[in-house]
Amino acid sequence: LGIHALLVVIVTFSPVPAATQSENDVTGEDLYPPLWDLAPGNLLDFPVKDNKIVINAWNYQDRLGVYKSLLSASAKYFDAFGPHNSGNILWGLPLQHGWQFRTGRLADPSGVTSCGYENGEPLCQSVRSWWSCMNYYLAIIPFLGAVEAGLFGQLPYEIEILPPEEQKDDFCYSVKDCWSRMPKLMDDWKAFFEYLLSTEHKAVSSASLSSFKLDDALGLMWKAHTSSIAYALPVFHDRLKYLSDPEANFGEDWADAVDFIAATHFKTDLPTTNNFQAFLPQRMLVEGDVLPSISDFSPEQNKVLVSLRVLHKVNKITGGLLLKIWQKAMSTEAGRRIGRELIESLPSS
């Protein structure tokens, strides 16, 4: 109960009025990431060269196509959790990426190139963007882990990921390359997809997917997710220098908060992720943005930013003890349910 009380204090830190939920309901085209319909729908929609499927991970549409392929190939495992694949817990990844694209976080923050800007190369993802680089480890690594696990069956071609124009050593580009350089990350993502595949073999028919436990799947997915972030954070720390102080702080706060969210096995399906993302800042933070009173942000967006800042600071001051206590409290399904309810109520507390 102590951790419950502490988090209630954190989420109520900024006494701002809450709007009604109906104002933030996501409907229509906003349900999906920008340009979702234009992204490649499966792996054979990507160009093939020298017997290799070639994916340009520094093009927003290509990276979106990687996510689309993952969602399509894993759809049958989530039939029981929502119509039209809406219950697929992989939705959190492309929706986050779509939010990054829509809010300008994938463009070159140094201003040296036109990468990511509407009057330049709008679909370009900058290797100087902290968000874009961090996301690589939540797009390409999961994807290659899925390939290795066999999610796509026996592919007729190898996969080749094109490198960026600079900082090439910060990334890996094929199943073999990634396995040799970051085996734990690949193993964590492979384990998640192998769990999905194992349920198919156990189920006699689609009606008997009792072998599929959503909480277990979420646990494996979040373990891989946090591993990716933990690995990428020190690698891309230098990219934070291109951002304003408020935006850099927000990035670090957000990365830290993922550990707390992960411990609850937060459900990252289509409706839940969309409702949660409505409270994230809809533009880059700039110098002069002062919490909790950024005038063009909603009260909920201000509150979420303050809550993330306080959570990060308290966890840092306690040397990570806050996270350890929280993770212990989330070690049971009942505890995780309370944790999820706390997180979902955060903006309107």
Side-chain angles (χ1 to χ4, degrees):
L1 286 179
I3 188 68
H4 183 283
L6 179 55
L7 280 165
V8 168
V9 169
I10 289 170
V11 301
T12 55
F13 184 82
S14 173
V16 291
T20 59
Q21 181 62 37
S22 61
E23 290 177 36
N24 297 291
D25 284 345
V26 183
T27 55
E29 291 181 8
D30 289 342
L31 273 174
Y32 302 97
L35 308 180
W36 184 251
D37 288 342
L38 300 177
N42 68 67
L43 293 186
L44 296 180
D45 290 338
F46 287 96
V48 176
K49 186 179 179 184
D50 298 330
N51 263 352
K52 290 180 180 178
I53 295 169
V54 180
I55 298 171
N56 179 4
W58 302 97
N59 173 282
Y60 170 72
Q61 221 160 292
D62 267 28
R63 206 182 284 195
L64 207 57
V66 164
Y67 286 130
K68 204 170 181 180
S69 300
L70 280 174
L71 276 156
S72 177
S74 60
K76 60 185 173 184
Y77 305 109
F78 296 95
D79 282 344
F81 303 106
H84 311 300
N85 206 20
S86 62
N88 194 322
I89 59 175
L90 287 169
W91 271 114
L93 297 173
L95 287 171
Q96 263 288 282
H97 196 49
W99 164 75
Q100 292 163 357
F101 176 77
R102 192 168 51 244
T103 57
R105 288 179 162 84
L106 304 178
D108 183 354
S110 71
V112 171
T113 71
S114 62
C115 180
Y117 293 96
E118 282 193 28
N119 59 354
E121 304 167 84
L123 297 181
C124 175
Q125 293 196 198
S126 176
V127 74
R128 297 181 182 212
S129 159
W130 180 84
W131 292 97
S132 178
C133 292
M134 292 292 293
N135 178 264
Y136 190 97
Y137 282 76
L138 291 169
I140 301 306
I141 308 302
F143 167 66
L144 293 176
V147 170
E148 181 71 359
L151 183 72
F152 300 101
Q154 195 67 38
L155 288 171
Y157 309 105
E158 285 183 47
I159 304 285
E160 181 182 9
I161 312 295
L162 296 181
E165 291 182 4
E166 54 182 312
Q167 309 287 343
K168 295 178 183 178
D169 291 345
D170 291 339
F171 310 94
C172 61
Y173 306 104
S174 67
V175 170
K176 187 178 178 182
D177 183 29
C178 294
W179 266 112
S180 66
R181 293 173 56 185
M182 45 201 76
K184 184 185 184 303
L185 292 195
M186 288 289 285
D187 200 47
D188 283 349
W189 281 108
K190 185 186 176 196
F192 165 67
F193 290 107
E194 283 180 338
Y195 175 75
L196 298 187
L197 289 161
S198 72
T199 64
E200 182 180 20
H201 300 310
K202 289 176 190 171
V204 179
S205 70
S206 59
S208 63
L209 278 175
S210 56
S211 55
F212 186 99
K213 199 160 187 290
L214 190 61
D215 188 65
D216 289 345
L218 283 162
L220 287 166
M221 187 206 69
W222 277 115
K223 181 187 177 189
H225 191 120
T226 52
S227 290
S228 280
I229 290 179
Y231 184 96
L233 268 176
V235 177
F236 301 119
H237 189 265
D238 66 323
R239 307 297 203 278
L240 291 170
K241 69 187 176 193
Y242 297 120
L243 302 175
S244 69
D245 286 345
E247 180 69 18
N249 286 337
F250 167 59
E252 291 190 298
D253 295 346
W254 179 238
D256 201 29
V258 170
D259 284 325
F260 287 86
I261 295 168
T264 73
H265 294 185
F266 192 79
K267 201 157 73 165
T268 46
D269 59 17
L270 185 69
T272 309
T273 306
N274 266 317
N275 286 336
F276 190 68
Q277 283 198 165
F279 304 113
L280 294 180
Q282 297 307 302
R283 64 162 173 80
M284 298 271 280
L285 276 68
V286 296
E287 302 298 348
D289 282 336
V290 179
L291 296 169
S293 51
I294 301 175
S295 60
D296 61 331
F297 284 7
S298 70
E300 294 84 4
Q301 287 167 342
N302 272 289
K303 168 165 281 192
V304 166
L305 287 173
V306 168
S307 301
L308 296 179
R309 183 91 285 242
V310 173
L311 192 65
H312 177 72
K313 282 186 174 178
V314 173
N315 193 44
K316 194 170 182 178
I317 289 168
T318 61
L321 181 61
L322 179 63
L323 176 60
K324 287 176 184 170
I325 296 170
W326 174 251
Q327 287 171 331
K328 188 172 183 182
M330 298 297 110
S331 60
T332 66
E333 283 198 48
R336 289 193 287 275
R337 187 172 60 252
I338 293 169
R340 288 193 294 272
E341 288 168 0
L342 261 177
I343 290 168
E344 287 177 20
S345 69
L346 185 150
S348 55
S349 299

